[in-house]
Amino acid sequence: MDLRLLRYFVTVVEERHFGRAAARLQMTQPPLSRAIRQLETDLGVVLLDRSSAGVEPTKAGTVLYEEACTLLTQADHVRAVVAAAAGTANLTIGTLGDSVERAGGGDGTPLAAAFRSRHPGVKVRLVEADLTDPTTGLRAGLVDVAVTRAPFEANGISSRIIRTEPVGVVLRVDDPLADRERLHLSDLDERTWFQFPEGTDPLWRAYWNGVKLGEPLREGPVVRTVQECIRAVLWNGTIGIAPLGHVLAPLHHEPPDGITVVPLIDMPPSHLIVAWRTTANSPLVQSFVELAVLQGR
């Protein structure tokens, strides 16, 4: 049985929608639909009930999903073990800004050193994502493990918390509220906030916009990177949320000139996490997870 088709099927079931599954797999919808039809033809059963709202697995589809998850997990494990034995193992880590450095105690040196000591022959590649993808490529299968921040839709993704950090509002230093010791979200109701583009994970988009899921988003310019956030604040007095002393201050943990961060006392904290696909059972991934949590304490 083609493992590629099984991965496609598992993704469609988890997303309950061909369009979202195609986006997650970084492919277009027609070839994905053809692949699932091919799988149904090969097995001689209907696996999905299709409707205008999306898809639901049939009884046979539910059984296949459970078996496919087990099979794919074992396949990932075999691949990792064989690669490690051959001395050709690789690990791709997705990052969000300086998340790996934060996980590794400031500059990332202890985490990198600990991983190299445990796995001296493994080649590590770091991929930095912009702020529109909280999974940093994990959901799309572009990376093996991610050091990022919650919350986001975690269907099919497992995670462990490395550290919990308070958040604050990002302000220009000449802002009328910049000299306050702390603020409430209600103090910012009439302000212009930066926000992430449409199509960004809803939980992630709502959290960093200071609203609850389902509430209208605060209006303001669309941003995708930390630098775009900084420019929106400096040039137009736009505001937003950031972990205290982190997102706007890679490595040295101080805001850039002209910007300050005032604590928000009624905003849920930000969780720095290490995440991986639930179906993945790579020893390298689990080793990295263990070290990231240990070094983040």
Side-chain angles (χ1 to χ4, degrees):
M1 187 173 293
D2 191 333
L3 293 180
R4 178 180 58 90
L5 295 184
L6 290 181
R7 290 190 190 278
Y8 287 175
F9 175 73
V10 165
T11 304
V12 172
V13 172
E14 290 177 348
E15 294 294 337
R16 295 295 201 271
H17 192 276
F18 273 98
R20 290 194 297 269
R24 173 173 158 184
L25 292 164
Q26 294 197 322
M27 62 190 298
T28 58
Q29 187 171 332
L32 177 59
S33 297
R34 289 195 296 270
I36 300 303
R37 289 287 188 191
Q38 180 63 51
L39 184 60
E40 290 178 319
T41 299
D42 291 346
L43 294 175
V45 296
V46 176
L47 298 171
L48 299 170
D49 286 328
R50 298 157 172 86
S51 70
S52 58
V55 298
E56 288 291 334
T58 62
K59 184 176 180 179
T62 299
V63 171
L64 178 61
Y65 173 77
E66 294 171 353
E67 294 295 329
C69 286
T70 300
L71 183 59
L72 292 172
T73 296
Q74 183 61 27
D76 288 340
H77 176 77
V78 170
R79 187 179 294 109
V81 169
V82 171
T88 59
N90 298 277
L91 183 71
T92 302
I93 304 169
T95 71
L96 196 69
D98 66 338
S99 55
V100 168
E101 285 75 18
R102 289 290 287 174
D107 61 1
T109 300
L111 177 55
F115 189 83
R116 286 199 312 271
S117 175
R118 185 180 289 187
H119 306 285
V122 174
K123 294 182 179 179
V124 176
R125 175 171 171 255
L126 272 68
V127 177
E128 183 173 340
D130 65 26
L131 300 176
T132 65
D133 181 12
T135 75
T136 71
L138 185 64
R139 192 178 295 284
L142 302 178
V143 301
D144 302 309
V145 64
V147 180
T148 182
R149 289 186 176 271
F152 53 82
E153 172 53 55
N155 189 23
I157 293 178
S158 299
S159 66
R160 289 183 64 184
I161 295 176
I162 297 173
R163 188 183 303 113
T164 297
E165 298 173 330
V167 299
V169 58
V170 185
L171 301 167
R172 202 163 58 195
V173 292
D174 61 355
D175 191 285
L177 299 177
D179 60 353
R180 299 273 289 272
E181 290 187 4
R182 59 185 63 85
L183 291 165
H184 292 83
L185 282 169
S186 58
D187 296 324
L188 309 166
D189 282 344
E190 304 304 317
R191 303 296 296 271
T192 299
W193 290 59
F194 49 71
Q195 59 174 295
F196 299 138
E198 225 176 307
T200 303
D201 183 283
L203 278 171
W204 175 259
R205 196 180 186 206
Y207 177 85
W208 296 108
N209 194 246
V211 300
K212 295 179 180 178
L213 184 64
E215 293 181 348
L217 293 175
R218 304 171 190 267
E219 294 185 359
V222 172
V223 297
R224 292 174 173 80
T225 68
V226 170
Q227 287 304 315
E228 288 179 356
C229 297
I230 293 173
R231 292 177 189 132
V233 176
L234 287 175
W235 286 88
N236 298 308
T238 305
I239 66 172
I241 293 172
L244 292 180
H246 165 51
V247 169
L248 300 179
L251 302 186
H252 51 82
H253 314 311
E254 291 295 335
D257 290 342
I259 285 179
T260 188
V261 184
V262 179
L264 281 167
I265 61 177
D266 56 349
M267 182 71 189
S270 169
H271 299 301
L272 180 67
I273 65 171
V274 57
W276 65 98
R277 291 187 300 280
T278 303
T279 56
N281 190 30
S282 164
L284 282 179
V285 168
Q286 295 307 316
S287 179
F288 179 84
V289 169
E290 177 187 331
L291 290 172
V293 173
L294 180 64
Q295 294 295 327
R297 291 175 181 170

